[in-house]
Amino acid sequence: MKVKPNTPVSKWNLRHRVADVCAASENQLVTATEDGALRVWDLRYNGPPVASANPDGTPLVAIAHSPVGAFCAVATGRGIYTLDVGSSGAALGSLGCISPPGSSRAGPITRLGWNTHTLELYASHDSGRISAYASKQPLK
């Protein structure tokens, strides 16, 4: 082994606190930051993000990559959205709303996770509740 396990292979310096991170593919890293931006990074080089989006203008609190296709679920202070991060990462595609603003009375979301078998999206809330959302559209 040429690199020690405790030595980072790559580093990215962001100006805002990262709330969550996920790998969308072997070459893509997706970050959610408290400034409300979802950013897609190309892991093949250490440069600026290749794409970014802001679903509703509020801080992002959690993201989860879909087990099918190039979609990410994004939780904000107002709702849960899906966003097509694309296989190339050059542009962000369609935005869908899973949970509209104010629809959840369980409190702010703290974490998101997909069920790989049923394609349901689970959201944990700071109140201790967990909400399950069925996919309204096929994720490709």
Side-chain angles (χ1 to χ4, degrees):
M1 183 178 275
K2 293 182 180 181
V3 179
K4 292 181 181 180
N6 61 348
T7 304
V9 182
S10 298
K11 295 179 185 179
W12 290 267
N13 294 319
L14 281 71
R15 295 180 192 160
H16 301 280
R17 183 182 171 277
V18 176
D20 207 351
V21 61
C22 72
S25 73
E26 67 184 60
N27 295 321
Q28 286 183 319
L29 183 70
V30 181
T31 59
T33 55
E34 288 187 339
D35 68 337
L38 178 125
R39 293 178 176 91
V40 181
W41 304 84
D42 189 331
L43 297 175
R44 294 171 289 195
Y45 71 96
N46 192 2
V50 294
S52 64
N54 187 323
D56 63 13
T58 62
L60 305 181
V61 294
I63 56 174
H65 185 258
S66 166
V68 178
F71 283 85
C72 280
V74 181
T76 71
R78 293 187 182 156
I80 303 172
Y81 304 89
T82 57
L83 192 62
D84 183 357
V85 296
S87 57
S88 68
L92 294 173
S94 62
L95 175 71
C97 185
I98 293 177
S99 172
S103 65
S104 174
R105 296 186 180 155
I109 294 169
T110 57
R111 187 97 170 110
L112 293 173
W114 289 95
N115 182 320
T116 58
H117 299 289
T118 65
L119 299 184
E120 289 177 321
L121 177 69
Y122 299 109
S124 65
H125 303 268
D126 68 353
S127 65
R129 290 187 178 177
I130 295 176
S131 301
Y133 298 93
S135 179
K136 295 178 184 176
Q137 57 188 2
L139 301 175
K140 299 178 183 177

